[in-house]
Amino acid sequence: MADHATATRPGATTATPTPVPDPHRPAAAPAPGPQPAPPPGQTAEQVRDRLVRGAQLAVLLVGVTTQLTSCLPQLLANRDRFGAWWTEVVGFAVLAGVAATIATRLLRNRSVSRPLAFTLCGACVAAAALASIPIPARLLLVADDWSFGIAGWYILAILLRTRMRTIAAVFAVHALVTVAEVLLKGVHDRYVTVQMGMVAVSVFGLELAVALLAVVLHHTASDAGEAAEREERTRTAEAIAEATHRDHRARYTRLLDTTVPLLAGLAYGALDPSDEQVRRRAAVETARMRQLFAETDDVSDPLLHELRAGIDVAERQGVSVQLAVRGEIRPVPQPVRQELVETAAAVLASARTTARATVLRTPAAIRVSVVADAPAEVAATVERQRRSRTETTTTTKNDRLWVEAVWRTKSP
Amino acid sequence: MADEITVTVVDDHPAMLVGIEQWYADAPEPVRVVAGGATSKTAWLPPGDTADVVVFDLQLAGQATPAFGELRRLVDAGRNVIVYTMRDDEQTALTCLDLGAVTFLTKTEGADHLVSATLAAARDRPYTPPALAGALSANTSSDRPKLSIREEEVLVEWFQSESRDLVAERLGLSPKTVTTYLDRVRLKYANAGRPARSKAALVARAIQDGLISVDDL
């Protein structure tokens, strides 16, 4: 208790003519403190999302440029060379379709689901294989076989978000299909085989290098996101500390107006401690001071702040209010807060002499409860209040009214 | 007066001491404050060293932090300690319980709770005041004992209403059953965490009283 003895004085030192905002008036300015903050990790996620999306668009652009400037002329040149030209045209159209799908998704900022991603990759591999059917074995993988490299770029654009392992696996499938095709068609010239291998290695090598860059990008993005989040947390903490300080100062100052005259009256004998009226005033002041002392650093919870306005109204009517709060501060949306506080305020305002208000925050629910010696009719008033987000239970027994408002965040 | 319960009060506010003595004077059973003082020395020196119960203020003059060390030493010496404090946060409550305090009361909880808690502590019976019930229901630590849905409900409602009758009315139970649920929760906590004589005594007594069976443990 020793710390509290020293804590009762700050009001005196801050009683300057500067107008101190009174956070207790029911219609007080917007409550200080954190607005419902995004859940942790969300900022980092957003930063990462934007960076990776940019990289995907870049890779897609490489693919589209290649398809238009390199593949299209080759497709036209192949027209009368190998027969069954239509397979090449179909392959080309499918690849263009894949590119259009990815572009639409990325530009509209819509995510590509896992099944869709793998379907598109499958389409790329199949289109590449289909387009290379008419190409004779010795020309596979070289310039005349235009479809081999382009499929890889689109696969990369689709899978850049996923793990490196997945990208490598899909490339492996693409490579195996090509190898199977080569084996089926049969290549007898060792020189040609080596040349094919070199082409495959350089194409896949370049594409995998880009994929590796994307992995680095992922890490950088995570770091950047975390840094942004840290900064945001610091700013929020600063704002809370400042609001807390203001709030405390205002409330200690208010003790000057109410507690000090009472103490002075008792000390000089102007007030009689046996007078019922004086005792009630003392009870109210005690409750008020207890609330101040009991507060730790996190007073700037908007829910508590708004509830205090209701408690203040009751205290002005001479009701001594006990407040107990348990559980960690959690963001409560404004409409829910309003419902919880309104219910409690209705009971507090009708209390005759004493009331107990509690706030209990558990992972499953946020509960605000008031027990008071209020008339039983108040229960009906409370039950009539419109509410859509919270549940209210009322109980009356032995002249006491108990109302509890619950916001369930998780089904029990 | 063989059955008289003796109490040592460690609190740095003389007014508190007078108030507590007054409350005990109206207790249903004889309770006498044998020693009172501003430091825990009071509980170690005669006549305070043999009292059945120690009422202990965590926040003593000249100390910036709660006197958890003092509490631990008293508990390890086998004393029944009721923590009676201005501090109103659940972490303090849970820490005191884990250290082996028989119960945790906040100073906003008045005479009835202190008297009931003292009578219970002297006989190694559990007593869970509302402030402590609130701390137990808000406890999210990973080593939290597993409670039944009913036990959770009773804890929440008892914290909110401070009235067995109101809890009983709301949950459709008898006031006695409400107490039983609270006691069971308290025993689950006594059976967890750091071992202490006071915790073992609570559990042993509960088995004797038939509140829990050995199989429940």
Side-chain angles (χ1 to χ4, degrees), chain A residues 37-38 72 116 158-159 165 269 279 282 312 330 344 350 356 386:
Chain A
L72 184 61
L116 178 63
I158 299 164
L159 295 181
R165 231 183 292 166
R279 281 163 173 252
D312 198 55
R330 286 170 44 200
S350 353
R356 170 177 170 83
R386 285 178 59 83

Side-chain angles (χ1 to χ4, degrees), chain A residues 1 4 326-327 356 395 404, chain B residues 13 59 90 107 159 170:
Chain A
M1 288 202 17
H4 302 130
R326 294 288 182 279
R356 170 177 170 83
T395 308
E404 179 189 6
Chain B
H13 280 207
Q59 209 76 47
E90 62 257 25
K107 285 190 175 166
F159 164 64
R170 174 155 301 179

Side-chain angles (χ1 to χ4, degrees), chain B residues 140-155:
Chain B
T140 49
S141 65
S142 53
D143 53 355
R144 177 183 209 252
K146 190 158 171 41
L147 306 181
S148 72
I149 292 177
R150 204 46 150 182
E151 285 166 348
E152 298 272 8
E153 281 174 351
V154 170
L155 273 185

Side-chain angles (χ1 to χ4, degrees), chain A residues 98-164:
Chain A
V98 169
T101 313
I102 311 168
T104 326
R105 290 266 156 178
L106 286 178
L107 291 175
R108 287 198 184 156
N109 214 354
R110 300 240 308 265
S111 64
V112 179
S113 68
R114 244 181 127 68
L116 178 63
F118 285 115
T119 313
L120 290 175
C121 289
C124 287
V125 173
L130 184 70
S132 62
I133 286 175
I135 316 279
R138 66 188 162 78
L139 291 178
L140 279 175
L141 288 163
V142 292
D144 307 67
D145 180 15
W146 55 266
S147 64
F148 179 70
I150 183 68
W153 285 113
Y154 288 150
I155 289 171
L156 200 56
I158 299 164
L159 295 181
L160 212 54
R161 229 165 246 279
T162 57
R163 284 177 306 174
M164 186 67 194

Side-chain angles (χ1 to χ4, degrees), chain B residues 79-145:
Chain B
R79 310 296 294 273
N80 278 336
V81 185
I82 296 176
V83 174
Y84 191 46
T85 178
M86 198 79 187
R87 292 183 72 96
D88 193 28
D89 60 300
E90 62 257 25
Q91 209 40 59
T92 306
L94 293 171
T95 306
C96 289
L97 224 54
D98 188 49
L99 286 175
V102 284
T103 197
F104 177 91
L105 272 167
T106 61
K107 285 190 175 166
T108 45
E109 293 171 306
D112 294 349
H113 291 293
L114 184 62
V115 171
S116 307
T118 307
L119 299 181
R123 303 195 159 77
D124 293 325
R125 292 210 166 95
Y127 186 78
T128 311
L132 178 59
L136 300 185
S137 35
N139 182 9
T140 49
S141 65
S142 53
D143 53 355
R144 177 183 209 252

Side-chain angles (χ1 to χ4, degrees), chain A residues 20-32 243-254 292 299-300 302 304-312 316:
Chain A
V20 182
D22 180 356
H24 286 270
R25 266 174 233 291
T244 306
H245 181 65
R246 258 207 319 273
D247 185 64
H248 257 146
R249 226 173 59 171
R251 294 171 62 208
Y252 274 113
T253 309
R254 278 168 43 78
L292 265 177
V299 275
S300 282
L304 266 190
H305 188 84
E306 285 163 27
L307 184 64
R308 282 219 179 86
I311 291 175
D312 198 55
R316 281 171 203 212

Side-chain angles (χ1 to χ4, degrees), chain A residues 70-85:
Chain A
S70 160
C71 302
L72 184 61
Q74 190 62 49
L75 172 75
L76 296 176
N78 284 359
R79 183 169 180 176
D80 299 315
R81 285 174 71 194
F82 313 117
W85 188 60

